Amino acid sequence: MTTTDIAEDSAELLPIATGARTRAALRTLIRPDRGRAILGLGVLVGATAVGLLVQPLLGRIVDIVADGHPADALTLPVVLLLVVAVVQGVTTTLGLTQVARLGETVLARLREQFIERALQLPADRLERAGAGDLTARVTGDVARVAEAVRSALPEMARSVLAIVLTLGAMALLDVRFLLAALLAVPVQALTARWYVTRAVTVYADQRVANGAQQQQLLETIGGAVTVRGHRLEEQHTGKSAARSRRAVELTMRSVHLVLGFYARLHIAEYIGLAAVLVTGFFLVRDGSVSIGTATAAALYFHSLFGPVNAALVLLDDAQSAAAGLARLVGVTDLQESTDLEASADLKPSAVRLPHQRTTSAAAVTVDAVSHAYGPGRTVLHEVSLTLRAGEHVALVGTSGAGKSTLARLVAGVQQPTGGTVSVAEGKAAPSVVLVTQEVHVFTGTLAEDLRLARPGATDADLRTALATVHALEWAEALPEGLATVVGEGGHRLDPARAQQLALARLVLADPPVAVLDEATAEAGSAGARTLERSAEAALAGRTALVVAHRLTQAVAAGRIVVLEAGRVVESGTHDELRTAEGPYATLWHAWSGSRAAPHL
């Protein structure tokens, strides 16, 4: 199974940036801290250069002993060795500190960009990708990149500098030592190439497989009730097991890859060291160099074992981090690419404008709006709609008619691919607030959760908002009242109370325009009327667009707009549309059956 197979089997995954785009993004991230990067690199170069004095000093000691000099002749080289050790230790610490600070700064900048762009992505795009893909990127991929920045990046910089400067020092001793050492390079180069060509695919597939595994687990756990209800336990367990096996297989493949990598490196070390020792033997025999110089050359090559192996081994971390970084950059670039794709789908006469405000008498004006989620997936077709100030309009239609899409466009959560959406200027900020059926209870006290809508709200303001949506009684009955911790790990709120909490936040935000997308759908039959009363109270005095889950909401609205296949097919009051015997009347009769319209 390939990466494509996994993607097609799971979801329309979020994009992955190309290598060139990833490198360009990395340069952009580093650019504001070029000074720190140059300083850190310069200090590391100095530290490495000072460290290269160790081998010649040791060679000098060998020559002193071999030539029979008195013991006091060893004093100077030994003292110099101590000085070199101290200077190298201090400068290396300073250099690595600068590199580490640079890495953490770049990582923080990347995280901020990722979160900012992820929050701006259209909801439908995230839905198509699935929660598992985004979760894997924001957890596993960020962790991989962070680990590389904190450990691999400083060590890689230090190792590369040590390799380059050590080879230069060997050439200064005698260029023939350098040529002998270079015999190991072809084996190391072939090893690196062998590894990289396989690692890129393995790690990319591993990331996708982990995302598919997380997506399956999230779907199985999140839909546990439905899974049990339809007796799908074995099917979901089988899918989870298959995707877990795939993830394990790729992990084991990466382990075998690393083992083969190390084996080839040991062969290269043997070839190089043997060549340097043989060269030293002949040069000493011919009198071209002293025993100490040959010793220094051998020590130089031996000192390369650590940096060379570290640099090549860090290819493992580098490939893993590069794969994760490409997935993160793919998300940071997605907003721009989505806009370009949408623009390409527009007809020449269509103009794509942002969600903007108007000073006209209308509170909301939807003018010839079209929207597509991709080529051939047009959901709305030149919809025009005007909401007068203070008017409550209900959107009605069968599933897939485009109601939620139109609601998100009016709320400004998504932008239309054609036409314009204009909202009248108001004193409140934001001027439009959207409440959907999928509300989230944030972890913290109930008061903190409410103050998300108005940070400066007093406790009296919070109680007034709760009372408005008929939630004050149960809120004060909580163990610690407004100070009760709710959300993950705290006091659990049932769906109806969570929805009332969202409506209370709407009251606190106090926008002139409110959009409710089936915001009472989670109440269940028993609490439906209570939650509808809460919604009515929260919408009082505002212009409202309501996606009606229950037609009782449509009855209460001042005007009903019926959508069918992305087009407005009817508009009027409940009584007008019911007697017109059109699509709304059909929906009403199917929904109400023998029940009479409620008297509201």
Side-chain angles (χ1 to χ4, degrees):
M1 182 180 289
T2 64
T3 300
T4 304
D5 295 329
I6 297 174
E8 291 176 351
D9 183 50
S10 55
E12 185 182 336
L13 299 180
L14 295 168
I16 299 175
T18 62
R21 178 66 194 106
T22 302
R23 290 189 292 272
L26 187 58
R27 288 193 295 270
T28 302
L29 290 169
I30 295 175
R31 189 172 295 120
D33 295 285
R34 283 177 296 183
R36 177 173 290 170
I38 294 173
L39 175 61
L41 182 62
V43 175
L44 283 179
V45 169
T48 305
V50 170
L52 292 177
L53 296 175
V54 171
Q55 288 83 355
L57 288 172
L58 291 174
R60 177 58 183 161
I61 292 175
V62 170
D63 282 338
I64 290 174
V65 174
D67 294 342
H69 291 289
D72 57 0
L74 297 173
T75 304
L76 180 60
V78 170
V79 171
L80 290 176
L81 281 174
L82 293 175
V83 173
V84 167
V86 172
V87 173
Q88 185 184 24
V90 172
T91 52
T92 299
T93 300
L94 292 175
L96 291 178
T97 299
Q98 291 298 320
V99 174
R101 287 179 177 173
L102 171 66
E104 290 295 336
T105 302
V106 170
L107 179 61
R109 193 173 292 127
L110 174 64
R111 281 173 166 164
E112 290 170 358
Q113 288 185 7
F114 179 83
I115 295 298
E116 179 183 355
R117 296 297 178 87
L119 292 175
Q120 292 174 355
L121 291 179
D124 61 283
R125 185 64 183 87
L126 292 178
E127 290 169 1
R128 297 201 306 273
D133 186 33
L134 187 62
T135 301
R137 296 185 192 222
V138 80
T139 54
D141 291 321
V142 169
R144 285 286 184 182
V145 175
E147 182 181 353
V149 165
R150 290 167 183 153
S151 58
L153 176 62
E155 187 62 30
M156 175 68 85
R158 184 180 176 184
S159 298
V160 170
L161 288 174
I163 293 169
V164 173
L165 294 179
T166 299
L167 291 175
M170 292 184 71
L172 290 176
L173 293 178
D174 192 298
V175 71
R176 286 168 288 189
F177 286 124
L178 174 61
L179 295 176
L182 293 179
L183 291 177
V185 173
V187 179
Q188 292 167 335
L190 291 173
T191 298
R193 181 179 179 183
W194 174 85
Y195 176 76
V196 169
T197 54
R198 289 161 176 79
V200 171
T201 302
V202 169
Y203 284 116
D205 286 351
Q206 191 175 8
R207 291 290 177 276
V208 175
N210 289 337
Q213 179 191 36
Q214 290 191 32
Q215 176 66 27
Q216 183 60 47
L217 292 175
L218 288 171
E219 289 178 352
T220 301
I221 295 172
V225 175
T226 303
V227 170
R228 293 194 195 99
H230 290 272
R231 299 293 189 270
L232 298 174
E233 293 93 340
E234 291 186 5
Q235 179 181 343
H236 276 254
T237 300
K239 286 184 177 180
S240 297
R243 291 181 177 179
S244 296
R245 280 195 300 272
R246 176 61 178 167
V248 171
E249 288 171 3
L250 289 170
T251 300
M252 293 305 300
R253 188 186 300 177
S254 68
V255 170
H256 287 299
L257 192 64
V258 171
L259 291 176
F261 179 67
Y262 278 115
R264 287 165 172 78
L265 286 184
H266 293 326
I267 295 174
E269 291 172 358
Y270 174 80
I271 292 173
L273 184 56
V276 171
L277 290 174
V278 171
T279 301
F281 170 78
F282 284 108
L283 291 178
V284 170
R285 190 184 67 174
D286 295 342
S288 300
V289 299
S290 67
I291 296 176
T293 301
T295 301
L299 290 173
Y300 269 138
F301 186 82
H302 187 272
S303 70
L304 285 175
F305 286 7
V308 170
N309 289 350
L312 293 178
V313 167
L314 286 175
L315 286 174
D316 180 66
D317 293 334
Q319 291 300 318
S320 180
L325 182 60
R327 284 161 58 83
L328 296 178
V329 173
V331 173
T332 62
D333 286 348
L334 184 58
Q335 185 69 38
E336 180 180 354
S337 63
T338 300
D339 290 344
L340 292 175
E341 290 172 5
S343 298
D345 292 333
L346 297 180
K347 296 181 296 182
S349 60
V351 180
R352 186 177 187 274
L353 297 176
H355 185 266
Q356 58 185 5
R357 298 182 181 183
T358 179
T359 55
S360 66
V364 177
T365 302
V366 178
D367 185 16
V369 161
S370 297
H371 191 74
Y373 290 119
R377 299 180 61 188
T378 303
V379 179
L380 296 177
H381 305 269
E382 297 187 353
V383 172
S384 294
L385 176 66
T386 300
L387 276 68
R388 297 181 296 274
E391 183 183 23
H392 289 189
V393 174
L395 282 180
V396 172
T398 58
S399 178
K403 305 185 298 298
S404 292
T405 298
L406 181 57
R408 288 196 289 262
L409 295 178
V410 170
V413 174
Q414 292 177 215
Q415 302 297 328
T417 53
T420 61
V421 177
S422 304
V423 180
E425 291 282 359
K427 297 180 180 180
S431 58
V432 183
V433 168
L434 170 68
V435 180
T436 70
Q437 65 177 345
E438 298 176 356
V439 299
H440 183 71
V441 179
F442 293 87
T443 300
T445 66
L446 182 63
E448 291 171 343
D449 207 305
L450 288 166
R451 286 195 176 97
L452 290 170
R454 194 200 302 174
T458 64
D459 285 352
D461 294 331
L462 304 185
R463 289 188 173 86
T464 299
L466 289 168
T468 300
V469 298
H470 311 292
L472 183 60
E473 183 177 351
W474 64 256
E476 292 186 329
L478 293 175
E480 297 180 55
L482 295 179
T484 302
V485 176
V486 295
E488 188 70 25
H491 187 89
R492 184 178 179 84
L493 299 182
D494 61 42
R497 289 183 174 182
Q499 199 66 256
Q500 284 182 308
L501 180 60
L503 292 171
R505 286 199 293 255
L506 170 64
V507 173
L508 286 167
D510 195 24
V513 179
V515 178
L516 268 58
D517 185 2
E518 298 188 351
T520 63
E522 294 294 327
S525 299
R529 184 54 191 149
T530 299
L531 199 50
E532 285 175 10
R533 287 176 56 240
S534 298
E536 291 169 9
L539 296 179
R542 311 181 203 283
T543 304
L545 181 66
V546 179
V547 177
H549 175 70
R550 293 179 175 84
L551 291 188
T552 51
Q553 294 172 288
V555 176
R559 179 159 54 103
I560 300 169
V561 172
V562 183
L563 287 180
E564 197 170 272
R567 292 180 172 84
V568 175
V569 294
E570 281 188 310
S571 179
T573 65
H574 168 73
D575 290 334
E576 291 171 347
L577 297 182
R578 189 178 58 172
T579 58
E581 295 299 330
Y584 177 79
T586 302
L587 288 173
W588 174 257
H589 292 313
W591 183 82
S592 62
S594 59
R595 293 174 293 181
H599 300 287
L600 299 174

